[in-house]
Amino acid sequence: MYTNSDVKNQKQSFVVGVENYEEDLFLEIELGTFYTTHLHAQLIANSVKHIILFEDQILVKFKNKDFISITDDFLKYAYKFRLCTKPSMPPIDVSKLTQQEKDDLIYNEAYIVTQDDMKEVNWDIKTAFHYLQHRYEARDKEYFFFGSCSYYVIPTSQQIDQEGMRDAT
């Protein structure tokens, strides 16, 4: 019989990725498939510190100062872009709002982006870079920082009984 702590420490395969954004352009990067515990897979996803888009590459920087460089020739399958099609709402000066108005604003659907508001685009890195340059009048900008949005950890196989593995070997 397994205890709760045994189940938490069992290894299995997880697909781990992150989604970040710059203005209305969202970038999803699949970091890979890892054979590990669920907690460790979450730590891998949370280890991403910055994602920077250059004209010819995407740089993924990790908290331990390591990095991955993604180009259209190397790891192209690891990323995809999505555009938010929901019209932007004007900025609000929240300092003038009451606490109740602030609480209501958090749940205001006009400011909440859902998957239905996203449109996948089949862009290469250069196209995405030039889109941001032109859309936001940043023609002299050499890179764009993508802000943190979310991560995902998706199990891909059944958990493996660690004791059974030891007995079988």
Side-chain angles (χ1 to χ4, degrees):
M1 175 107 180
Y2 289 108
T3 65
N4 204 17
S5 64
D6 290 335
V7 173
K8 287 181 184 174
N9 292 322
Q10 287 182 340
K11 291 184 177 182
Q12 68 184 86
S13 291
F14 294 95
V15 175
V16 178
V18 294
E19 184 171 63
N20 295 54
Y21 69 95
E22 168 66 19
E23 298 294 341
D24 63 346
L25 184 63
F26 286 72
L27 169 61
E28 180 182 331
I29 297 178
E30 184 177 307
L31 298 173
T33 302
F34 299 88
Y35 181 72
T36 187
T37 64
H38 189 264
L39 178 61
H40 190 246
Q42 288 177 322
L43 291 172
I44 292 167
N46 278 324
S47 70
V48 174
K49 186 173 183 180
H50 299 294
I51 294 182
I52 307 167
L53 175 70
F54 293 91
E55 185 173 19
D56 60 347
Q57 69 178 318
I58 299 168
L59 193 66
V60 181
K61 290 182 135 185
F62 296 93
K63 291 176 183 172
N64 67 359
K65 302 198 184 343
D66 284 343
F67 65 91
I68 298 170
S69 177
I70 300 171
T71 66
D72 286 327
D73 297 327
F74 179 68
L75 296 175
K76 178 163 178 51
Y77 63 87
Y79 72 87
K80 63 182 168 185
F81 292 103
R82 285 195 283 275
L83 278 175
C84 178
T85 59
K86 189 170 202 164
S88 298
M89 296 299 293
I92 295 176
D93 183 0
V94 293
S95 66
K96 296 179 181 179
L97 300 177
T98 67
Q99 186 59 46
Q100 181 60 46
E101 290 171 327
K102 288 178 187 177
D103 292 343
D104 292 342
L105 184 63
I106 291 172
Y107 299 106
N108 186 331
E109 289 186 25
Y111 290 92
I112 298 173
V113 175
T114 66
Q115 288 297 328
D116 294 336
D117 300 319
M118 306 299 282
K119 175 186 168 196
E120 191 168 323
V121 291
N122 190 19
W123 288 353
D124 60 10
I125 293 169
K126 184 177 265 188
T127 302
F129 180 82
H130 287 291
Y131 168 80
L132 288 173
Q133 275 189 323
H134 294 293
R135 173 100 162 114
Y136 299 101
E137 298 177 3
R139 292 179 195 354
D140 58 346
K141 202 159 187 189
E142 296 179 11
Y143 58 87
F144 293 92
F145 273 101
F146 277 66
S148 180
C149 186
S150 63
Y151 71 84
Y152 57 89
V153 173
I154 303 169
T156 61
S157 69
Q158 297 298 316
Q159 294 177 342
I160 294 177
D161 177 351
Q162 293 298 329
E163 283 186 35
M165 287 293 284
R166 274 187 242 124
D167 293 342
T169 55

